[in-house]
Amino acid sequence: MIYSATIQNKLDVFAIRKQFPVLNREVKGKPLVYFDNAATTQKPQSVMDVLVDYYSGYNANIHRGIHTLAEEATAAFELSRDAVQKFINAASREEIIFTKGTTESINLVAYSWGRQNIKAGDEIIISTMEHHSNIVPWQILCQEMDAVLKIIPVNDHGELLMEEFEQLLSAKTKLVSIVHVSNAMGVVNPVDKIIESAHKAGAVVLIDGAQSTVHLDIDVQEMDCDFFAFSAHKFYGPTGIGGLYGKKQLLESMPPFLSGGEMIKEVSFDGTTYADLPYKFEAGTPNIADTIALKAAIDFINQIGKENIRRHENELLAHATAQLREIEGLKIIGDAQNKISVVSFVVDKVHPQDLGILLDNAGIAVRTGHHCTQPLMQRFRIPGTVRASFAVYNTKEEIDVMVTSLRKAIKMLL
Ligand code: PMP
């Protein structure tokens, strides 16, 4: 282990920060405060080292080669699949499909499962707080199949209206696709209850785990979801790699999504047979380097322990929420009971974009805008929010810097 992750169960943030070279840089002459972790986390040195080791030591195409480099690359690639299987506690490695990330995973389900199972008049349920990547694929599917998209509303705290959800469910419901943790508000949805009710109605459930995988303990068997989508770049891994978990029986019954090399057993002009899981869904040369580095990200998280990470992030969230509530005219969007790691807010008479620019001038990276959740912004009748999202390497001192700069920025703008 290259750093001491915990001291008597308290996180050693400074030892962790040393693993992230980018945190040493300055922005506009000020030390970087990186609070855009819900968009993408920074990467520890161990993840970057794997990329360099792969390209400088054993770069090769995988699965088909019999030479040493190909065997080494294949072994490392498949080790990552085992790591993901354990990380989310899937029953078997065949249930882990590597994709570019959450967006591609949802599209895989929409195109493969969706076009096989959705018929005219069928219903799909999503919610008001979905990311566009869990809206648009279903809109396209519904248009194509003449199916109906139903939306679970949210209350003023940003929580799903569960009674309304129960009423939307019927024999017509074929799929419920719900975000586990809202990227725009940090609200944690009651996915266990959603899955139980959806299954009772005979529907299949997809959970968008883009934001939850880094913060919560994910056990897809206990959760009993049918599909679970995630992106490695949200949990200290590289961009361009993520995955789809699917129950084996479902994946086996589904047609391929992309087709070509790698996903076949035999090809002839009389017909083609497909490879077994998971390869049936992994056409073409995959993103080998980033897949191998994904395991280093999982190792990084496991070394610290998700419980320790969560405790630290909860302290940061509580600190930030308390500080921000003191600011006159500031309103937190999504003040639900069950939240994690994200605080989103608007300030009376001030545009979020202007605040974002002034915070950037102070070296503070926050996200401003609609966060790819325009229907949620429409629900709250706002153009967007300022969103600060926290990771294991953030500190209370950084939050204090943000709050001081925010106060100054608001004064300037009013
Ligand atoms: N869903 C949620 C909740 C997200 O936060 C994101 C990324 N912002 C996505 C889906 C899409 O993830 P990706 O861009 O990595 O495919």
Side-chain angles (χ1 to χ4, degrees):
M1 196 155 99
I2 23 184
Y3 54 85
S4 135
T6 58
I7 299 173
Q8 292 171 340
N9 251 354
K10 204 161 161 39
L11 211 77
D12 185 352
V13 182
F14 293 96
I16 289 168
R17 287 180 71 85
K18 283 195 187 138
Q19 293 297 302
F20 291 81
V22 74
L23 298 178
N24 290 325
R25 70 162 283 181
E26 293 191 340
V27 168
K28 315 259 163 84
K30 308 273 172 24
L32 167 68
V33 172
Y34 188 77
F35 283 160
D36 197 16
N37 295 288
T40 197
T41 56
Q42 297 299 340
K43 320 304 171 199
Q45 189 63 51
S46 56
V47 167
M48 295 185 268
D49 286 348
V50 169
L51 296 173
V52 175
D53 287 350
Y54 166 73
Y55 283 120
S56 53
Y58 56 101
N59 169 50
N61 210 332
I62 55 169
H63 292 141
R64 282 153 300 166
I66 48 126
H67 60 79
T68 300
L69 265 57
E71 281 181 354
E72 286 176 10
T74 302
F77 183 90
E78 291 301 334
L79 269 182
S80 262
R81 199 185 308 275
D82 296 336
V84 171
Q85 181 201 339
K86 263 179 106 176
F87 195 52
I88 63 171
N89 197 32
S92 80
R93 65 191 317 283
E94 288 83 14
E95 295 178 320
I96 307 298
I97 315 293
F98 285 124
T99 65
K100 275 195 300 196
T102 307
T103 303
E104 186 179 315
S105 297
I106 296 173
N107 274 275
L108 192 163
V109 177
Y111 280 88
S112 170
W113 182 89
R115 276 148 185 81
Q116 189 179 51
N117 290 282
I118 299 295
K119 309 272 179 308
D122 285 348
E123 294 178 0
I124 293 173
I125 299 179
I126 60 171
S127 84
T128 307
M129 71 170 84
E130 298 310 315
H131 188 279
H132 296 163
S133 62
N134 197 28
I135 299 175
V136 186
W138 308 122
Q139 281 181 326
I140 293 173
L141 178 67
C142 286
Q143 276 161 15
E144 217 174 292
M145 301 297 171
D146 211 6
V148 183
L149 195 58
K150 300 252 164 169
I151 315 294
I152 313 170
V154 300
N155 65 19
D156 290 343
H157 303 289
E159 296 159 324
L160 292 179
L161 290 171
M162 290 297 285
E163 276 174 23
E164 305 233 3
F165 166 59
E166 299 286 345
Q167 280 165 14
L168 288 178
L169 283 168
S170 76
K172 289 185 189 164
T173 314
K174 292 294 175 303
L175 176 82
V176 177
S177 191
I178 291 291
V179 70
H180 197 174
V181 172
S182 154
N183 64 307
M185 304 181 292
V187 174
V188 182
N189 285 326
V191 288
D192 290 344
K193 182 79 197 74
I194 290 169
I195 293 165
E196 196 191 328
S197 299
H199 281 170
K200 268 192 201 143
V204 162
V205 184
L206 186 153
I207 299 297
D208 170 353
Q211 295 294 332
S212 62
T213 314
V214 67
H215 305 295
L216 305 176
D217 297 317
I218 306 296
D219 183 333
V220 288
Q221 291 185 75
E222 198 185 304
M223 210 191 284
D224 199 27
C225 55
D226 300 289
F227 298 108
F228 185 89
F230 61 91
S231 302
H233 72 97
K234 311 270 192 198
F235 59 81
Y236 310 107
T239 49
I241 183 67
L244 174 73
Y245 156 80
K247 282 183 182 162
K248 196 170 171 180
Q249 235 184 327
L250 269 173
L251 291 174
E252 271 173 346
S253 71
M254 287 159 51
F257 171 40
L258 301 175
S259 53
E262 286 282 328
M263 51 71 72
I264 52 91
K265 246 184 204 138
E266 282 207 25
V267 178
S268 82
F269 289 120
D270 295 327
T272 292
T273 51
Y274 306 133
D276 293 331
L277 291 176
Y279 309 107
K280 180 171 82 175
F281 292 107
E282 292 181 358
T285 300
N287 182 349
I288 303 167
D290 293 313
T291 307
I292 296 172
L294 183 165
K295 179 178 179 301
I298 291 176
D299 290 344
F300 169 80
I301 292 171
N302 287 341
Q303 278 168 9
I304 303 171
K306 271 202 181 163
E307 211 182 313
N308 291 324
I309 297 176
R310 213 158 38 235
R311 191 182 316 115
H312 176 68
E313 290 172 345
N314 285 343
E315 280 174 19
L316 295 177
L317 181 62
H319 186 69
T321 305
Q323 300 284 311
L324 291 170
R325 281 211 171 115
E326 304 265 295
I327 297 179
E328 219 188 296
L330 185 147
K331 182 171 178 243
I332 290 175
I333 301 295
D335 57 348
Q337 279 298 313
N338 200 359
K339 275 188 65 172
I340 200 135
S341 219
V342 171
V343 60
S344 229
F345 56 89
V346 289
V347 179
D348 275 351
K349 302 191 194 85
V350 179
H351 199 283
Q353 191 101 0
D354 295 335
L355 287 174
I357 291 166
L358 290 177
L359 288 176
D360 183 57
N361 285 341
I364 303 158
V366 291
R367 180 55 61 117
T368 60
H370 55 63
H371 318 295
C372 296
T373 56
Q374 283 184 341
L376 183 71
M377 300 297 117
Q378 288 153 14
R379 153 70 179 81
F380 282 102
R381 294 194 167 80
I382 50 177
T385 73
V386 179
R387 179 187 72 184
S389 51
F390 310 118
V392 65
Y393 40 68
N394 290 128
T395 65
K396 285 186 184 166
E397 290 73 23
E398 288 182 309
I399 289 168
D400 295 342
V401 169
M402 177 184 75
V403 171
T404 306
S405 302
L406 192 62
R407 283 182 182 280
K408 276 191 208 157
I410 294 168
K411 244 189 200 164
M412 264 181 79
L413 292 166
L414 282 179

